[in-house]
Amino acid sequence: VQLQASGGGLVQAGGSLRLSCAASGGTFSRNTVAWFRQAAGKEREFVASFRMTDRNIAYADSVKGRFTISRDNAWNTVYLQMNSLKPEDTAVYSCAAGERLIVSSIRNHGMYHNWGQGTLVTVSS
């Protein structure tokens, strides 16, 4: 399965964007799909995840209540709806897929074996 992330762009603080992570050559039916982000000069950080097998969803505290992760009914696209964006949300956002991840490992980017390219989100103040 190949992952393709899209939907980034420039938005003013308080605005919204929706990122998409599309799978080609297969579906996400057995995966955990997550979004990570990396701001300039900072380490990659976990944003949100969706475990397909039981619909377990997790969010970083910094985005909880503002971001929503979801999937389509065909199991081949995962979305990240980002509302009330802040300048500190500016980063390159990447989606990743992993298999058989337990809850305690979901936030660890090293546990994901399949990565899409990043999409840049810039939030202006």
Side-chain angles (χ1 to χ4, degrees):
V1 176
Q2 292 187 326
L3 278 60
Q4 178 78 33
S6 62
L10 173 63
V11 64
Q12 288 188 333
S16 298
L17 282 174
R18 188 176 80 159
L19 305 184
S20 298
C21 179
S24 60
T27 69
F28 290 130
S29 61
R30 297 184 177 184
N31 293 138
T32 297
V33 179
W35 288 94
F36 291 85
R37 67 186 182 185
Q38 188 165 19
K42 296 187 177 181
E43 294 188 355
R44 181 181 292 170
E45 65 172 349
F46 171 82
V47 176
S49 65
F50 193 121
R51 191 164 65 180
M52 300 297 170
T53 53
D54 61 358
R55 299 189 178 188
N56 178 278
I57 290 175
Y59 295 101
D61 288 343
S62 59
V63 307
K64 200 172 294 183
R66 300 187 298 122
F67 291 11
T68 303
I69 190 169
S70 62
R71 63 160 178 85
D72 71 339
N73 290 332
W75 300 77
N76 59 18
T77 304
V78 171
Y79 303 101
L80 184 68
Q81 178 67 42
M82 306 186 296
N83 298 329
S84 302
L85 283 161
K86 304 176 181 179
E88 51 263 44
D89 294 318
T90 295
V92 174
Y93 285 70
S94 301
C95 61
E99 295 182 359
R100 294 184 291 275
L101 299 187
I102 59 176
V103 171
S104 60
S105 64
I106 281 176
R107 298 168 188 261
N108 181 352
H109 63 81
M111 302 302 293
Y112 292 80
H113 65 279
N114 195 355
W115 289 80
Q117 90 294 352
T119 185
L120 177 62
V121 172
T122 304
V123 184
S124 63
S125 57

